[in-house]
Amino acid sequence: MSNDAAGRQTRFIVLLAALVALGPLSVDGYLPGLPDLAGDLRAGAAATQLTITACLAGLAIGQLIAGPLSDAYGRRRPLLAGLALYTIASALCAVAPDIRTLVGLRLVQGIGGAFGIVIANAMVRDRTSGTRTARLFSALTLITGLAPVFAPVLGGQLLRVTAWPGIFVSLAVLGAVMLAASAAGLPETRSASASRRPLPAVFGQLLGDRVFTGYVLANGLVFAAMFAYISGSPFVLQDIHGLSPQQYSAVFAVNAAGLIAAARTSGRLVARAGARLLLLAGLLGATAGGTTVLGAVLTRAPLPVLLIGLFVLVSSVGLVMPNAAAQALADHGGHAGSAAALLGFSQFMFGAALAPLAGAGGATDALPMGIIVAVLPALALLALGALTRPKPGERTRGPAPQGPAGHRRPRRHIDRRRADIQ
């Protein structure tokens, strides 16, 4: 690869990573300013928390909108429209007069941010196939692991020089920069021969593909287990086990580092081990970690046992997410936007629906979190085995090799298990 080509590839990856980071930054970046926000808008804690829920809902719903639009009209135009919507909504959040208006604007902000997430994933599938796809998804998973950790830190630093509206102004500026950079630096990657079938037909085809559904369920359930850890661990580690906020932040950072290390390892090993094998290893690790957490809760084991279980659980997500995404999109290059939309929608919806249950025990009982982080990875492992394994005598299709623009070359009928490691 020439220096110019390598430079273009690097810029392409950096832009996609920034697009993927936009969602987590929007969710977590203003968390340090929540108390001041509630006071200024005269809102209670429950109403203030709705601003988080609204953004998560927008990130989920927006992907179902963005994916099909990008399949029908190309990647660039919907992406630029979504970034423009995100920028405007972020700026309006800074001047919201009351909490109800802010909740509505946060929903719109999440929808706009979702365009970046789903179209970035679709662009990866447009430009790559096989192990190259898995490597790129591993790189994007690093950003997924880093952004939630550093977003509150960045927000806290901004609050040293501004009030909470300044955080939304910063997000608006970031959105505008991403809009300009995407307009100047991201090419159209959608193949001219890609599918333009009606939305119900595309989603029906995808959901009727048991292999695709298996990878989506495996990914979504493990992602929900990580959300359960994020929502339940502050109560379990600080209120029950007595960690200080600084100690809890250190634990959170160590676990995030484990996720990042696992994603980097996945990118290096996928060519030799195969995406499916690494995905299976991640699911087994997440199940082992979740089971250790539950066992520690039930037996009232020392805190280090609980921390080890959480570390293994969270680190395993770094193996699951990139490889599940690569496998799910492998056979759906013709409508990669819609496939990526369902993949992302399942993550946020499973997380939003199941993660709050982890806090059901409040500040006195860690059992709900222990049950959820043990059961969800086990269900993900069962879904992978039940839905993605070829039936006796069945020969399933493997991912067709593609050129840079996504044009398919002639397909050879090979077993999926071989295709997964090509």
Side-chain angles (χ1 to χ4, degrees):
M1 183 182 292
S2 68
N3 289 336
D4 286 345
R8 287 194 300 271
Q9 177 75 352
T10 299
R11 288 192 295 271
F12 178 71
I13 295 172
V14 169
L15 274 174
L16 295 188
L19 290 172
V20 169
L22 207 55
L25 287 174
S26 304
V27 174
D28 298 335
Y30 79 120
L31 293 182
L34 279 182
D36 290 339
L37 183 154
D40 290 348
L41 298 184
R42 298 179 182 179
T48 305
Q49 289 291 331
L50 279 178
T51 63
I52 302 174
T53 303
C55 189
L56 286 172
L59 287 169
I61 296 168
Q63 294 191 60
L64 292 183
I65 300 171
L69 285 177
S70 73
D71 283 341
Y73 300 106
R75 311 300 185 209
R76 276 178 56 86
R77 285 188 291 172
L79 174 61
L80 298 180
L83 289 173
L85 179 66
Y86 174 88
T87 301
I88 294 170
S90 298
L92 291 176
C93 283
V95 295
D98 54 59
I99 195 67
R100 185 174 301 178
T101 302
L102 182 60
V103 168
L105 288 171
R106 287 282 285 168
L107 177 67
V108 176
Q109 184 191 38
I111 291 173
F115 277 65
I117 296 173
V118 71
I119 293 176
N121 287 331
M123 283 182 162
V124 170
R125 181 60 186 86
D126 290 339
R127 294 282 291 266
T128 64
S129 61
T131 56
R132 288 185 63 205
T133 303
R135 285 196 190 101
L136 267 181
F137 278 130
S138 295
L140 296 184
T141 299
L142 294 180
I143 305 302
T144 304
L146 283 170
V149 176
F150 287 105
V153 176
L154 294 174
Q157 293 304 309
L158 280 173
L159 288 176
R160 296 170 66 92
V161 296
T162 185
W164 65 266
I167 296 177
F168 287 109
V169 171
S170 299
L171 291 174
V173 171
L174 179 61
V177 170
M178 289 305 307
L179 176 60
S182 298
L186 282 182
E188 179 57 64
T189 61
R190 179 186 177 276
S191 169
S193 61
S195 171
R196 294 177 182 242
R197 298 175 63 193
L199 173 60
V202 172
F203 278 172
Q205 176 187 340
L206 290 168
L207 294 175
D209 182 343
R210 65 178 178 83
V211 175
F212 172 81
T213 303
Y215 289 125
V216 167
L217 286 174
N219 183 70
L221 289 168
V222 169
F223 192 80
M226 186 176 73
F227 258 62
Y229 149 75
I230 292 172
S231 63
S233 60
F235 303 102
V236 172
L237 295 180
Q238 294 185 74
D239 293 332
I240 296 177
H241 288 278
L243 295 188
S244 68
Q246 293 72 29
Q247 290 172 326
Y248 172 75
S249 297
V251 169
F252 198 91
V254 168
N255 290 339
L259 185 152
I260 293 165
R264 287 179 60 87
T265 301
S266 174
R268 292 172 179 172
L269 294 182
V270 67
R272 287 184 292 171
R276 182 179 172 85
L277 183 59
L278 290 173
L279 171 59
L280 180 60
L283 291 176
L284 289 171
T287 303
T291 302
T292 301
V293 171
L294 179 58
V297 171
L298 290 174
T299 62
R300 298 184 179 181
L303 178 60
V305 177
L306 176 64
L307 295 180
I308 289 171
L310 290 174
F311 177 80
V312 173
L313 169 70
V314 177
S315 298
S316 298
V317 177
L319 293 177
V320 172
M321 288 181 61
N323 295 297
Q327 293 289 88
L329 301 185
D331 290 329
H332 298 287
H335 34 72
S338 299
L342 286 175
L343 189 73
F345 176 80
S346 71
Q347 287 181 345
F348 285 101
M349 287 308 295
F350 283 171
L354 298 174
L357 299 177
T364 60
D365 191 357
L367 185 59
M369 187 190 79
I371 292 174
I372 290 173
V373 300
V375 169
L376 292 185
L379 290 177
L381 192 59
L382 288 175
L384 183 76
L387 296 176
T388 68
R389 181 181 302 170
K391 296 178 181 178
E394 178 184 27
R395 292 178 65 83
T396 58
R397 66 192 185 281
Q402 294 189 351
H407 297 287
R408 290 182 177 268
R409 300 172 186 163
R411 181 187 301 281
R412 296 177 180 176
H413 293 284
I414 54 177
D415 185 89
R416 175 181 294 276
R417 287 172 294 180
R418 290 187 58 196
D420 287 340
I421 61 173
Q422 296 302 313

